[in-house]
Amino acid sequence: MSKPKKIKQQLTAVHIVEKELLQPYNPILINLIGAGGTGSQMLTALARINQALIALNHPGLMVHLFDDDKVERPNLARQLFTTAELGLYKSVALINRVNRFFGTNWKAETERYDRNYCAINRAFATITISCVDTVDARFEIAGILDTYKIQSGNYRGRPLYWMDFGNSKDTGQVVLSTIGKIPQPTSKKYQPIENLPFVTEEFKELLIQSENTDNTPSCSLADALAKQDLFINSTLANLGASLLWQVFREGILFNRGFFLNLKDFRTQPLKVA
């Protein structure tokens, strides 16, 4: 009588974080693109992560915030600005505040992060975080980061990860991608995944469909709140920051993002696969 065949158990897919982020010699370089509703909230979350990492004997973070917009009245309340900052560049207002509060020396860039800027400046960073509100801007960032996939060698600020934030009125998503392949160790317990696809590759059709969303400037705070819920940006930023905190503290990812529906208070994780 033949023995029954053993069913091979499928291993759980995971991503092992590049060790350069876990035990670096210098602060991790981060480009935060966009200082609006989500970007302004994310900057504060990054400052908290930085402070916690330093307390744990990690060199911390070095952030460059990109935004060429200035603070206007419709930005108040939904974004982290005050009336005293009206007319200032968003990036300058936020970076000055964070530097004073947390004692950091982070930098504000009052220019748009695009191909023209990157052709003149070596604007690479280990982690790129995009909080932009147009599909075209997201695809342009993807195109810029795509050029770093083929660059070899180990150097400070070598682009490794891209975290993208996107949202509508009361829904949103965060997707973490690798810039190229991150070498993974062998494992008998897990199935390590070396490549996490760009949001522009994996969800290209959905992004193109959302391109027709009304992106006209708001004339008042009431108008702005009609387009986006008051807490959608801060909720996305905090959940995304929690994912980034797992990157630094745990070094292994079972989820590489999530989808959020704030109206129904539902969050759906995006598994590593």
Side-chain angles (χ1 to χ4, degrees):
M1 184 175 179
S2 61
K3 293 182 179 180
K5 293 183 179 180
K6 290 184 178 180
I7 300 175
K8 189 175 181 181
Q9 188 175 7
Q10 188 173 4
L11 300 179
T12 302
V14 299
H15 176 74
I16 307 300
V17 177
E18 168 62 47
K19 62 182 180 180
E20 180 182 329
L21 273 68
L22 308 178
Q23 296 177 322
Y25 295 105
N26 300 292
I28 300 297
L29 298 179
I30 294 181
N31 282 343
L32 177 57
I33 305 170
T38 304
S40 60
Q41 301 279 351
M42 191 60 189
L43 182 70
T44 302
L46 289 173
R48 294 177 61 195
I49 290 175
N50 174 68
Q51 193 173 47
L53 287 174
I54 292 174
L56 295 169
N57 297 317
H58 186 285
L61 312 175
M62 178 63 195
V63 177
H64 286 243
L65 176 61
F66 291 82
D67 202 306
D68 63 344
D69 284 342
K70 294 184 178 180
V71 181
E72 300 176 351
R73 287 200 173 274
N75 304 141
L76 305 182
R78 197 177 63 81
Q79 302 178 17
L80 289 184
F81 299 107
T82 69
T83 53
E85 294 167 331
L86 288 171
L88 296 178
Y89 280 104
K90 291 181 178 180
S91 56
V92 172
L94 291 171
I95 287 293
N96 284 346
R97 190 192 313 159
V98 164
N99 284 345
R100 287 196 303 268
F101 191 92
F102 290 95
T104 50
N105 188 30
W106 294 355
K107 306 298 181 184
E109 304 288 348
T110 59
E111 298 185 53
R112 187 182 298 273
Y113 185 93
D114 56 18
R115 293 182 185 276
N116 292 332
Y117 179 89
C118 293
I120 300 172
N121 303 275
R122 289 173 61 83
F124 54 76
T126 304
I127 302 174
T128 297
I129 302 175
S130 55
C131 305
V132 295
D133 54 8
T134 68
V135 175
D136 287 343
R138 188 174 280 111
F139 274 99
E140 182 158 20
I141 292 169
I144 294 168
L145 297 180
D146 204 45
T147 61
Y148 295 127
K149 286 184 178 180
I150 59 176
Q151 295 183 7
S152 60
N154 293 317
Y155 52 91
R156 191 185 176 210
R158 177 169 58 105
L160 296 174
Y161 294 96
W162 174 25
M163 177 178 280
D164 178 71
F165 289 75
N167 71 279
S168 58
K169 186 177 187 295
D170 45 30
T171 62
Q173 74 285 329
V174 173
V175 178
L176 180 68
S177 311
T178 58
I179 302 173
K181 296 179 179 180
I182 306 295
Q184 301 286 290
T186 56
S187 173
K188 294 182 179 180
K189 187 176 180 180
Y190 300 112
Q191 180 188 356
I193 304 298
E194 62 182 359
N195 180 63
L196 307 179
F198 279 8
V199 63
T200 50
E201 298 169 353
E202 189 174 16
F203 301 107
K204 181 178 180 179
E205 296 303 321
L206 289 176
L207 291 174
I208 293 174
Q209 289 176 14
S210 68
E211 195 170 12
N212 295 325
T213 302
D214 182 15
N215 289 316
T216 55
S218 302
C219 298
S220 66
L221 175 57
D223 190 23
L225 292 174
K227 296 179 179 178
Q228 292 191 33
D229 185 82
L230 180 60
F231 292 104
I232 183 66
N233 301 113
S234 56
T235 304
L236 274 176
N238 280 309
L239 288 172
S242 180
L243 175 60
L244 190 61
W245 180 243
Q246 287 184 18
V247 168
F248 288 112
R249 291 299 295 148
E250 298 180 13
I252 181 172
L253 296 177
F254 296 87
N255 302 299
R256 56 189 177 90
F258 59 88
F259 296 92
L260 170 70
N261 186 321
L262 193 58
K263 189 174 184 179
D264 296 335
F265 300 103
R266 287 187 292 107
T267 305
Q268 178 67 39
L270 180 62
K271 296 289 185 182
V272 172

